[in-house]
Amino acid sequence: MHDFYQTGWWAVIWSIIKIVIVVVPLLLGVAYLTLAERKVIGYMQVRLGPNRVGFRGSLQPIADALKLMFKEVIIPTSANRFLFLAAPVLAFVPALLVWAAVPFGPDVAISNMNAGLLYVLAIAGLGVYGIIVAGWASNSKYAFLGAMRAAAQLVAYEIAMGFALVGVLMLAQTLNLSKIVEAQAGGGFWSWYWLPLFPFFLVYFISGVAETNRAPFDVAEGESEIVAGFHVEYSGMAFALFFLAEYANMIFVSLLTTVLFLGGWYAPINTPLLTWIPGLVWLLLKTAFLLYVFLWIRATFPRYRYDQIMRLGWKVFIPVTIAWIVVVGIALETPMRAILR
Amino acid sequence: MIITTILFYLFSAILLGSATAVITARNPVYASLFLVLAFFNAAALFILLGAEFLGLILILVYVGAVMVLFLFVVMMLDINLTRLKEGFLSYLPLGLAIAILGVLELAVVFWTSPLGHIPAPGPIPANADNTRALGVLLYTHYLYPFEIAAVILLVAIIAAIALTLRRRQGTKTQSIDAQMAVRAKDRISLVNLRRPEQ
């Protein structure tokens, strides 16, 4: 039966069905993440957040989406018309493409490819084109400043991110995301990679916050200094696509951190009661927790100054990751190898 | 596999088209974006060949990092299209000479060396892991050339930094060490303002 789905036109139709199964819940997740963000930050700031549309504001994302769809897309007269409209698409498409390799369970993915980790790293870096092109095509100084900041920030943090992933590779010995999770099986939360690779776990997650342009690293938007940065000139659905891409990337970074460092779909303690709960539930629970951390960070920290961001990326994260790669490399040549692998 | 053949010709056509557009596009920003498209299709061709490591590294390094920096620089140029078009004819002989020389050299290489006679790749074995295969080769058989290439790159990095680093007089920079070392008592001194006893 499995072969039947992998031959001829059935393979195409089966792939489309799998894509729909992933993308529709993802877009719903994005919609309700915006509501969760407003609610969580609201309560942290002793407010209620949206509470008028639907039961306690539960239909607010739908109302927002409808409003954005009916708004006019304004194109500035001196903007480069084609690139101005292409930029939101360039931001949104990579945000969806990365989900092709994401595993939701043992060998459950749209494409369970061998080089999954490399694919994810390569595609996730493409989102910045949307931001850079938007900044340039808008023909506006604020938008351009935002684009420049985004480009510099992305290049700085992608290196630290890549080094953090090298540590995962050294322990898992595979680029296949599904097998990386399986390599963390065994005991419970103490056999996941966050423990031996704790510096990488922190660096990866913080770099993830920086790569998605979220507070406190959101200098590309920086509404207090450069109005709204790269998307200053955008309105309606064109703006909504940037928004969708940012939130889809947030969910993606959280899910990938779960897969790489928090044991993916494994229960935190290996007892029958907890392992009876399906793996997908654990995966989503861990992802939801990391998403909450995203919002928590945003409500807690003030925006970094631009030079501080560059210093953190180049002078702190990169040396820390290189040092820990050496430590892991040495540890793998000692009897500790049996524990780590 | 007819689908693979169709995809090969599709990606090749887009690759050649966008590569041509890189040199014909008037606007440098368009040219760099076309170069990104060309890299992308080259990566797709690598992946069709089963060389997924090379394809993904091409996207990661060239599209994800190099071209971002290229665009960064190109976008800051003051694009004056009329000035860019000036002097096309005066540069034409030199450009043509270099192009012909390049084509000739490539032709010589392909005619005389085994590079021109590589057999078509056989069917790709299922689950071939060429990342591991490349890694094993690079770190055993080709260890010294690989390490030497790495050291040359490191020297180039340091040289580039050393050439461009200049300490200008009179710029105001933050001293991070001094900022981190500050303690509350350096900045605040509490003064007892109680009125003295009469």
Side-chain angles (χ1 to χ4, degrees), chain B residues 9 21 24 34 38 46 58 65 69 81 87 90-91 114 118 130 142-143 168 174 186 195:
Chain B
Y9 283 110
T24 53
F34 272 121
F46 271 134
L58 184 69
L69 296 178
L81 287 180
S90 59
Y91 289 123
I118 295 170
N130 66 49
Y142 295 106
L143 179 64
R168 279 181 296 173
Q174 320 252 347
D186 302 339
R195 200 190 316 178

Side-chain angles (χ1 to χ4, degrees), chain A residues 80 83 114-115 118-119 121-122 126 128-129 132-133 136 144 148 151-152 154-155 158 173 175 305 307 311, chain B residues 27 29-30 33 36 40 52-53 56 59-60 63-64 67-68 71-72 75-76 79 127-128 131-132 174 176:
Chain A
N80 182 319
L83 286 183
N114 264 334
L118 207 55
Y119 170 84
L121 194 62
L126 297 181
V128 77
Y129 278 100
I132 300 181
V133 169
W136 184 78
F144 190 63
M148 292 290 105
L154 177 113
V155 171
E158 207 169 50
Q173 299 278 312
L175 281 166
R305 217 169 53 205
D307 64 312
R311 180 174 170 272
Chain B
N27 190 328
V29 173
Y30 281 167
L33 288 175
V36 170
F40 225 93
E52 83 271 357
F53 182 76
L56 290 172
I59 294 183
L60 184 63
V63 180
M67 287 313 292
V68 171
L71 267 180
F72 193 103
M75 281 178 175
M76 290 212 244
I79 300 167
N127 266 335
T131 313
R132 183 180 296 275
Q174 320 252 347
I176 303 289

Side-chain angles (χ1 to χ4, degrees), chain A residues 75-88 129-140 143-144 147 230 233-234, chain B residues 29-30 33 75:
Chain A
I75 301 175
T77 39
S78 59
N80 182 319
R81 203 184 159 82
F82 173 71
L83 286 183
F84 185 81
L85 291 177
Y129 278 100
I131 295 176
I132 300 181
V133 169
W136 184 78
S138 300
N139 208 346
S140 147
F144 190 63
F230 64 94
E233 308 288 347
Y234 282 89
Chain B
V29 173
Y30 281 167
L33 288 175
M75 281 178 175

